[in-house]
Amino acid sequence: MLFVHHLKFALPFSTKDLFWVRILPFSVRILLEAAIRNCDGFYIKEEDVQNILDWQRQQCKAEVPFSPARVLLQDFTGIPAMVDLAAMRDALAKHGVDPGLVNPKCPTDIIVDHLLQIDYSKCAIQNAPNPGGGDGPNPSQSTSRALPSRPPSRGGSQCGGARSSCSKAACSDSPASSGPLSASVQQIENTPLLCPFHLQPVSETDTAMKNQELELIRNKERLQFFKWCSKAFKNVNVVPPDVGAVHQVNLEYLSKVVQLSDGWIYPDSVVGTDSHTTMINGLGILGWGVGGIESEAVMLGQPVSLSLPQVVGCKLVGSINPLTTSIDIVLGITKHLRQAGIAGRFVEFFGPGVSQLSVPDRTTIANMCPEYNATVSFFPVDHVTLKHFKKTNFSQEKLELMESYMKAVKLFQTYGEPSDEPVFSEVIEINLSSMVPYVSGPKRPQDRVAVNSMKEDFHSCLDEKVGFKGFHIAKEKQETRVPFLHGGQEYQLVHGSVVIAAVISCTNNCNPSVMLTAGLLAKRAVEAGLEVKPYIQTSLAPGSGMVTHYLNASGVLPYFSQLGFEVIGYGCATCVGNTAPLPEAVVDAIKQGDLVACGVLSGNRHFEGRLCDCLRANYLASPPLVVAYAIAGTVAIDFETEPLGVTPEGKKVFLRDVWPSREEVQETEEATIIASIFKDLRGRMEKGNTFWNNFECPDSVVFPWDLKSTYIRSPNFFNKLSKEMPVPQSVENAHVLLFLGDKVTTDHISPAGSIARVSAAAKYLLSKRLTPREFNSYGARRGNDAVMTRGTFASIKLQNRFVGKAGPKTLHIPSGQMMDVYEAADRYQRDGVHLIILAGKDYGSGSSRDWVAKGPYLLGVRAVIAESFEKLHKNQLLGMGIMPLQFLPGQNADALELSGKEKFTIILPENLGARQQLTVKTSTEKSFTVTALFDSQTDVICFQHGGLLRYVARTLL
């Protein structure tokens, strides 16, 4: 242990160990430091420290603990975590134990950012303020209000669509409606609500303000609960709504690089309940996404357990092409690493090319880490990192302390002799000069398409059979054109027409260069006389106010606005399916022609049907390309030979004519990205907002559950909790609830979007006397186990082999009836029948969501047998006491000739061990072997307790 500036820190080596530490990858050095500092002989033993130090021999063999410096929760996954802790307090109180013992021991930040929905967009309001989501109000209940005089938007005042019974002229004189609002919140003023089927213009300022006000109104119960958490629990900090997206707030405000606490100085590190927590690795801060259950364990003082990882060194060489954006580099590296098969490993970047990447470039690359299935993508702290923090209000003293500390513990990267480079498990070399502009789609982020091949690739997708890269459109129907009326003018939709274009938070908005490129392109396009067709739903959802600040300071924000890209608010919106309905005329045209219409967004998720049910093709693209495709109105365009658009004078304008140079972008960035921007963010963070500051909440140790609430319910995870660990019960005569194929995502298992009116969750909410307009979304109701259990496997895109077509249905085998998944599971549970799931490869890929494990647990699922699992989801299943069982190599349900209608028995041995093989027997007298994916004895103990929550509760008891 050494002392610097009167601070203590753990030195992760002695003189004799110096050589071994210098050859360790930087990410492993951080694991080593944390193990030394937290070594208590119980959770973290000296043997763990030695295993990490001996990383070269112990990688993939030893299981090691890691205690991060902090925990990061966003509200979608954070609210069930905090609900569980509140329920745990109830469980302790029932056993006569002080409920106040349940507190996070690890500092925990909750960022309320996933509540935002787009009710207002592109100078328009979607029918009426809707506190609960779903339908707008009944026109017969409307009250008249004068329409304020406003300038026309994008060339004129236009309705968002047309119905046969309502003309534009008629609706312009229709009465307005406000809809019922919470009595405790002042009614929104000056809201021009006319025809409930159309869009009407409001100002850009109103667009963000009204979205934010509705966000606060419809989420009152959850916000009250978060406010209670901030007061009732120690070590909990809640960042209120409308400050910024979780990743932006983490990067711009919460990140310290080095932490100072109780006289100690140590590296900042974090685990979060979002799979894109990995973004923070771009700052040299080690962090990754975990399940909500795992995060709760860390919050309560337990380290994360992980297999000592292999570390792949990604050596960057070559020079960046001036026209290549960060997203091009991201997608290029994503493809290289995904092809390299680095699932479950750490990736660490080194080589001369790294210094060419700015910190925003690095965080963008690190953000896409889950797409190539690595655990982290780490950029060690270097001179570029220090230069970045000089812009972010870090004091000179803090910068000097950071630099001296990181150098003292050998965590500062220099680009010197090759002999100074760490030793890696494997090295992959990537030449940055080979990167060219790409988009990704039409259904998966790993399917990259070069922009100059986009037109050809899209037409190829029309020909191919239905799959990840195919739609199977007959040749004679590929030229279909469907005319429709919008705003009194006739337009045409074809295959490839863009109807949603969204520049949104998360992946790209953290990077000023790509956002400024998009803004400068918009400026040049407007100056050239180009426009975006008014029926295209455009939106701009910056990751934080900092983005709006520099877009405004650089003078490009008005040009975004002129093309329809209004700032709709701060938080996740389109990316998680919270988008306003398309104009009905557009939807009707798509359905009439069976068109493959497209959405283009600069986010990180675009699975089929996620943005809108009627969109079959969705592409990830950099922000400037989102703007470009919106102007073109189609993805089936060759930018090299075809004009982006034609001016009113008939002049053809090509993309190269309006694309800004790298020098112009950098000059603008230097002039606008200054310390005052970060100071402004810090001020808004600390000030909060008036609504939040005045919010009242209960003042109690245990939460006073409202039995009438449809948002917050005490889950039954702790029912019949005993002080002693129960004996594991074998799975006997289990039926298969679902027979699934490959690539079942977390979106399939636990949707985050709107609640369908005919779903099991809708039936429950209707029984609580809620109307469809009050349903809100699954993500909004994650604090209600009754809704989320019914929403499990409720995706309209779920492909269940029992059914033969997409939808949230399954076969109740004993009766032979087709029914909702929840209804079948409920009947099985009432009959005392165990349940399992059969699946193919990559089960559980996608975003981190704890309800993808909690939901199946409450449905009665005891085991999932699959060909392979996404690691994070596998850990989530274990965290809820569900067995993840893997077919042996070369085997699957088809190879074993399983119909799924058999009964399955899985006998558990008395001494269950890590990676143990188990025998599965069927009612048809077949027998096969599976591997229980318990990676460590900790996993086994967790499973035997019935999951992490019950394990932690028993520890406290």
Side-chain angles (χ1 to χ4, degrees):
M1 186 180 297
L2 294 183
F3 293 80
V4 173
H5 294 254
H6 308 292
L7 294 168
K8 299 177 290 183
F9 65 88
L11 192 65
F13 56 85
S14 63
T15 304
K16 67 177 182 179
D17 293 327
L18 178 59
F19 170 76
W20 297 109
V21 171
R22 288 180 61 182
I23 66 173
L24 288 178
F26 286 84
S27 51
V28 176
R29 298 179 201 182
I30 294 177
L31 296 179
L32 178 60
E33 187 281 337
I36 293 173
R37 177 166 40 86
N38 294 288
C39 187
D40 59 1
F42 181 65
Y43 284 128
I44 302 178
K45 302 178 177 63
E46 185 176 341
E47 178 185 359
D48 298 318
V49 175
Q50 293 299 328
N51 284 337
I52 299 173
L53 188 60
D54 192 21
W55 167 79
Q56 281 187 286
R57 286 193 292 263
Q58 294 297 328
Q59 56 183 293
C60 295
K61 298 178 182 178
E63 192 75 14
V64 297
F66 174 58
S67 294
R70 54 192 174 91
V71 175
L72 183 70
L73 307 176
Q74 43 93 334
D75 50 292
F76 262 21
T77 49
I79 199 165
M82 298 309 299
V83 164
D84 290 346
L85 295 192
M88 192 181 295
R89 282 192 169 189
D90 292 345
L92 263 64
K94 290 178 182 178
H95 280 271
V97 179
D98 179 12
L101 292 175
V102 180
N103 282 297
K105 293 183 179 179
C106 184
T108 300
D109 296 292
I110 303 173
I111 289 79
V112 184
D113 76 323
H114 276 51
L115 303 182
L116 182 65
Q117 291 185 201
I118 303 176
D119 295 275
Y120 303 78
S121 66
K122 66 173 181 183
C123 295
I125 174 171
Q126 175 207 339
N127 45 58
N130 185 348
D135 284 352
N138 188 324
S140 64
Q141 299 173 343
S142 301
T143 57
S144 298
R145 188 182 339 165
L147 175 65
S149 175
R150 300 183 188 274
S153 171
R154 278 165 54 168
S157 177
Q158 293 141 344
C159 296
R163 285 202 173 200
S164 58
S165 61
C166 181
S167 67
K168 179 174 184 289
C171 83
S172 64
D173 295 323
S174 301
S177 169
S178 62
L181 301 180
S182 170
S184 63
V185 181
Q186 183 178 3
Q187 185 161 331
I188 298 173
E189 299 178 353
N190 300 324
T191 307
L193 309 175
L194 302 180
C195 172
F197 307 117
H198 295 73
L199 306 178
Q200 294 296 335
V202 297
S203 71
E204 176 192 352
T205 303
D206 286 346
T207 299
M209 181 190 71
K210 293 179 186 300
N211 278 317
Q212 292 164 7
E213 289 192 16
L214 284 181
E215 172 188 359
L216 298 174
I217 292 168
R218 65 161 57 96
N219 296 296
K220 180 181 177 182
E221 286 184 52
R222 286 177 294 162
L223 293 175
Q224 282 181 327
F225 177 73
F226 279 132
K227 194 70 176 282
W228 175 80
C229 290
S230 68
K231 292 185 176 181
F233 290 103
K234 300 175 183 178
N235 258 347
V236 172
N237 169 52
V238 177
V239 177
D242 303 322
V243 171
V246 56
H247 310 302
Q248 291 296 119
V249 174
N250 193 21
L251 286 170
E252 298 167 13
Y253 182 75
L254 301 176
S255 299
K256 309 297 182 185
V257 182
V258 294
Q259 292 278 358
L260 303 174
S261 177
D262 298 326
W264 281 88
I265 179 172
Y266 50 92
D268 191 7
S269 57
V270 62
V271 293
T273 54
D274 191 291
S275 58
H276 292 274
T277 303
T278 53
M279 195 174 201
I280 204 65
N281 290 281
L283 288 178
I285 298 171
L286 188 64
W288 62 87
V290 296
I293 303 160
E294 290 174 297
S295 70
E296 291 170 45
V298 176
M299 290 160 63
L300 294 170
Q302 296 194 23
V304 174
S305 181
L306 71 158
S307 296
L308 193 57
Q310 290 184 323
V311 182
V312 176
C314 186
K315 186 173 185 178
L316 302 183
V317 299
S319 300
I320 300 175
N321 187 304
L323 295 180
T324 300
T325 66
S326 296
I327 194 64
D328 299 321
I329 297 172
V330 169
L331 295 176
I333 291 175
T334 297
K335 181 178 180 180
H336 279 287
L337 294 180
R338 196 174 191 97
Q339 290 175 340
I342 44 106
R345 296 195 271 180
F346 281 19
V347 175
E348 191 168 300
F349 292 86
F350 74 108
V354 176
S355 61
Q356 298 179 58
L357 301 179
S358 66
V359 165
D361 289 337
R362 300 176 186 192
T363 56
T364 308
I365 293 168
N367 181 70
M368 294 296 279
C369 174
E371 309 307 338
Y372 42 85
N373 291 327
T375 303
V376 301
S377 287
F378 190 72
F379 289 85
V381 173
D382 62 3
H383 68 283
V384 177
T385 316
L386 295 180
K387 182 179 178 181
H388 167 78
F389 278 105
K390 288 180 181 179
K391 302 177 182 178
T392 61
N393 287 331
F394 267 46
S395 67
Q396 188 61 32
E397 180 182 4
K398 177 67 180 292
L399 287 169
E400 290 176 358
L401 178 60
M402 180 197 308
E403 183 176 1
S404 62
Y405 168 74
M406 299 301 276
K407 288 182 176 178
V409 295
K410 306 301 179 187
L411 290 175
F412 191 88
Q413 170 135 287
T414 58
Y415 303 98
E417 297 298 324
S419 59
D420 296 332
E421 295 173 350
V423 174
F424 296 103
S425 308
E426 177 186 350
V427 173
I428 298 172
E429 183 171 297
I430 298 177
N431 192 330
L432 296 176
S433 61
S434 66
M435 303 296 175
V436 295
Y438 279 87
V439 297
S440 182
K443 299 180 183 181
R444 301 188 302 174
Q446 64 264 36
D447 296 325
R448 297 199 313 151
V449 184
V451 172
N452 58 13
S453 302
M454 181 62 171
K455 183 175 183 178
E456 179 184 354
D457 185 82
F458 179 77
H459 286 303
S460 174
C461 289
L462 295 180
D463 291 329
E464 293 295 326
K465 64 180 181 180
V466 175
F468 296 125
K469 290 282 290 181
F471 302 103
H472 197 55
I473 304 297
K475 283 287 186 182
E476 62 273 14
K477 294 184 178 181
Q478 292 184 15
E479 300 300 324
T480 299
R481 292 181 176 273
V482 181
F484 67 99
L485 288 177
H486 178 84
Q489 296 185 27
E490 182 176 306
Y491 298 91
Q492 288 187 342
L493 289 183
V494 298
H495 292 292
S497 289
V498 173
V499 295
I500 292 180
V503 177
I504 58 180
S505 63
C506 193
T507 301
N508 306 297
N509 293 10
C510 70
N511 193 318
S513 66
V514 292
M515 287 301 297
L516 289 174
T517 301
L520 291 170
L521 188 150
K523 177 177 182 292
R524 289 184 168 197
V526 169
E527 291 172 346
L530 301 181
E531 297 178 345
V532 174
K533 294 179 177 64
Y535 62 80
I536 298 176
Q537 187 183 98
T538 49
S539 60
L540 172 61
S544 74
M546 187 197 81
V547 180
T548 304
H549 182 104
Y550 68 68
L551 291 178
N552 191 49
S554 63
V556 300
L557 196 57
Y559 297 98
F560 267 125
S561 179
Q562 288 187 56
L563 293 179
F565 290 92
E566 299 283 359
V567 175
I568 56 90
Y570 303 98
C572 294
T574 307
C575 206
V576 292
N578 292 346
T579 184
L582 292 170
E584 187 168 343
V586 172
V587 175
D588 290 344
I590 293 172
K591 292 180 178 179
Q592 178 184 336
D594 190 26
L595 299 176
V596 180
C598 302
V600 185
L601 65 154
S602 59
N604 55 58
R605 284 284 190 269
H606 66 322
F607 298 118
E608 184 179 10
R610 185 163 188 167
L611 303 190
C612 180
D613 290 347
C614 63
L615 296 192
R616 284 186 274 174
N618 299 302
Y619 289 91
L620 301 182
S622 64
L625 285 176
V626 171
V627 176
Y629 281 114
I631 295 171
T634 179
V635 299
I637 181 174
D638 182 348
F639 286 129
E640 287 293 323
T641 60
E642 298 177 67
L644 191 64
V646 180
T647 68
E649 294 77 25
K651 180 183 177 182
K652 295 181 179 180
V653 180
F654 291 84
L655 180 60
R656 57 180 174 269
D657 299 327
V658 294
W659 191 279
S661 67
R662 178 173 288 271
E663 291 73 22
E664 182 182 1
V665 173
Q666 290 177 343
E667 289 175 5
T668 306
E669 183 176 0
E670 290 172 1
T672 57
I673 308 301
I674 55 177
S676 62
I677 296 173
F678 291 88
K679 182 178 180 180
D680 173 72
L681 172 66
R682 185 175 295 274
R684 289 188 300 103
M685 291 267 310
E686 295 172 352
K687 181 180 179 182
N689 60 62
T690 302
F691 188 96
W692 173 262
N693 294 339
N694 295 333
F695 220 85
E696 295 182 358
C697 68
D699 185 14
S700 57
V701 178
V702 294
F703 186 69
W705 306 98
D706 181 358
L707 298 181
K708 296 180 180 179
S709 174
T710 57
Y711 277 108
I712 307 293
R713 267 180 39 126
S714 179
N716 60 5
F717 300 134
F718 301 101
N719 288 0
K720 300 179 182 179
L721 178 68
S722 62
K723 290 188 177 181
E724 302 298 327
M725 182 178 70
V727 177
Q729 299 295 316
S730 297
V731 177
E732 297 182 353
N733 296 318
H735 274 300
V736 175
L737 178 63
L738 293 161
F739 192 2
L740 306 173
D742 297 340
K743 300 289 184 181
V744 174
T745 71
T746 51
D747 275 357
H748 293 124
I749 302 171
S750 183
S754 60
I755 298 173
R757 295 187 186 185
V758 296
S759 66
K763 295 174 185 176
Y764 166 80
L765 293 173
L766 288 171
S767 74
K768 299 297 181 181
R769 300 190 176 184
L770 270 66
T771 62
R773 65 187 294 270
E774 296 172 308
F775 284 175
N776 214 320
S777 65
Y778 284 113
R781 295 192 179 273
R782 285 188 179 184
N784 185 325
D785 62 306
V787 172
M788 297 309 296
T789 305
R790 289 164 172 81
T792 304
F793 296 109
S795 170
I796 60 172
K797 298 298 181 181
L798 182 70
Q799 294 282 352
N800 181 4
R801 293 174 65 174
F802 283 153
V803 180
K805 63 179 181 179
K809 300 287 184 180
T810 195
L811 173 68
H812 181 254
I813 296 172
S815 67
Q817 292 180 300
M818 289 291 178
M819 58 185 68
D820 287 339
V821 174
Y822 172 78
E823 293 174 355
D826 183 56
R827 185 180 294 191
Y828 281 126
Q829 289 197 77
R830 283 189 276 110
D831 293 339
V833 177
H834 291 171
L835 295 173
I836 66 170
I837 291 173
L838 294 178
K841 299 174 182 176
D842 298 328
Y843 181 79
S845 59
S847 299
S848 165
R849 293 180 191 163
D850 52 356
W851 273 106
V852 295
K854 290 179 179 178
Y857 171 83
L858 293 178
L859 288 177
V861 174
R862 297 287 304 278
V864 178
I865 306 177
E867 288 186 69
S868 64
F869 292 83
E870 200 278 332
K871 184 178 181 181
L872 179 57
H873 181 57
K874 183 264 294 182
N875 292 338
Q876 291 169 330
L877 292 174
L878 283 171
M880 286 309 301
I882 297 175
M883 286 187 291
L885 306 177
Q886 186 169 317
F887 288 109
L888 295 183
Q891 291 187 352
N892 56 33
D894 290 334
L896 295 169
E897 298 182 347
L898 300 177
S899 69
K901 298 180 181 179
E902 306 91 342
K903 293 181 180 180
F904 293 78
T905 296
I906 309 168
I907 304 298
L908 299 182
E910 292 184 7
N911 298 318
L912 189 61
R915 288 279 169 175
Q916 189 165 346
Q917 291 191 343
L918 305 176
T919 299
V920 181
K921 296 181 179 180
T922 73
S923 56
T924 57
E925 299 185 354
K926 289 182 181 178
S927 177
F928 59 96
T929 301
V930 294
T931 302
L933 299 184
F934 305 131
D935 290 331
S936 66
Q937 198 59 33
T938 303
D939 287 346
V940 174
I941 293 174
C942 173
F943 167 74
Q944 290 175 332
H945 274 275
L948 269 173
L949 290 175
R950 299 175 77 87
Y951 172 56
V952 172
R954 286 195 180 96
T955 302
L956 292 174
L957 289 177

